[in-house]
Amino acid sequence: QVQLVQSGAEVKKPGASVKVSCKASGYTFTDYYMHWVRQAPGQGLEWMGVINPRAGSISYAQKFQGRVTMTRDTSTSTVYMELTSLTSEDTAVYYCARVIPYSAHWFDPWGQGTLVTVSS
Amino acid sequence: QSALTQPASVSGSPGQSITISCTGTSSDVGGYNYVSWYQQYPGKAPKLIFYDVTNRPSGVSSRFSGSKSGNTASLTISGLQAEDEADYFCSSYASSATPYVFGTGTKVTVL
């Protein structure tokens, strides 16, 4: 079955960087886009960006431009999301989610989420 | 891009029907039939329960239905059951630099 398995929780100090991984299985990795969405404690969901695993092309939300980098490793079917210059406002659960390219605009499935805590 | 507006909470008794609204603008909800809905239990990842406004993925209960009128999309849960108690989020494609916007979320309580 289709599965997205993310890396474990992280605790970081302000100013540091974090890199979260999302390993896909159960489908052809390069046939689907991968998006990243975050959810701050008790808050709603926020779209961060998308990577095309086949071409490696990316698009980031304007809010995160300059601070986020999304990459992929096709040999391991894994996508990565790195966020730099962390502040307490980046404390959130980060999700990867799959989207059918070109024609679909829904996220299915989602990874289990990775809690990133930014605290001094 | 502002978040889509949802009621913070909706409640109902078992067997009743409830409706959750999701209000956006003509640049997102009103401009496209690309609204999706997600169910999220505490500490769990969101699960897709509706896409393209009215399409239900296989395996999702037929008690869930979706619709849209103007800039507002709606999710209706009929025959409310205890297992429906969860948070629900809407999402829409948007014609902006941020192509996907999410709702503020609605907590459904089964009384």
Side-chain angles (χ1 to χ4, degrees), chain B residues 19 48 73-74 83 101:
Chain B
T19 297
L48 176 72
S74 298
E83 67 200 48
V101 61

Side-chain angles (χ1 to χ4, degrees), chain A residues 39 45 47 95 105-107 110-111, chain B residues 38 40 45-46 51 89 99-100:
Chain A
Q39 184 173 35
L45 299 161
W47 185 80
Y95 294 101
H105 300 284
W106 62 86
F107 305 90
W110 298 58
Chain B
Y38 303 87
Q40 185 180 34
Y51 65 95
F89 292 93
Y100 293 97

Side-chain angles (χ1 to χ4, degrees), chain B residues 43-76:
Chain B
K44 299 296 186 181
K47 173 192 171 186
L48 176 72
I49 57 172
F50 255 89
Y51 65 95
D52 291 353
V53 180
T54 60
N55 292 289
R56 188 187 319 109
S58 61
V60 174
S61 172
S62 58
R63 296 183 298 103
F64 292 87
S65 61
S67 63
K68 192 186 85 166
S69 177
N71 295 337
T72 298
S74 298
L75 175 72
T76 298

Side-chain angles (χ1 to χ4, degrees), chain A residues 30 33 51-58 72 74:
Chain A
T30 50
Y33 293 164
I51 183 168
N52 175 348
R54 182 182 300 275
S57 53
I58 50 175
R72 93 294 193 206
T74 56

Side-chain angles (χ1 to χ4, degrees), chain B residues 13 22 40 46:
Chain B
S13 300
C22 169
Q40 185 180 34

Side-chain angles (χ1 to χ4, degrees), chain A:
Chain A
Q1 76 280 22
V2 176
Q3 258 194 315
L4 302 177
V5 178
Q6 298 182 222
S7 48
E10 303 261 13
V11 179
K12 297 292 183 180
K13 293 194 182 303
S17 300
V18 68
K19 191 170 186 177
V20 179
S21 68
C22 169
K23 183 174 176 59
S25 62
Y27 71 98
T28 301
F29 177 66
T30 50
D31 282 353
Y32 295 81
Y33 293 164
M34 197 72 79
H35 295 241
W36 288 90
V37 177
R38 76 177 187 179
Q39 184 173 35
Q43 302 300 310
L45 299 161
E46 182 175 34
W47 185 80
M48 299 181 68
V50 56
I51 183 168
N52 175 348
R54 182 182 300 275
S57 53
I58 50 175
S59 179
Y60 301 138
Q62 195 167 13
K63 175 177 179 176
F64 301 102
Q65 290 275 2
R67 277 210 309 140
V68 68
T69 303
M70 295 177 188
T71 56
R72 93 294 193 206
D73 182 345
T74 56
S75 68
T76 60
S77 299
T78 302
V79 296
Y80 301 89
M81 188 282 300
E82 182 174 26
L83 191 62
T84 62
S85 303
L86 294 170
T87 71
S88 58
E89 295 189 352
D90 294 315
T91 294
V93 177
Y94 290 77
Y95 294 101
C96 58
R98 189 188 74 163
V99 173
I100 301 171
Y102 310 118
S103 59
H105 300 284
W106 62 86
F107 305 90
D108 181 53
W110 298 58
Q112 85 276 18
T114 296
L115 175 62
V116 175
T117 303
V118 183
S119 174
S120 55

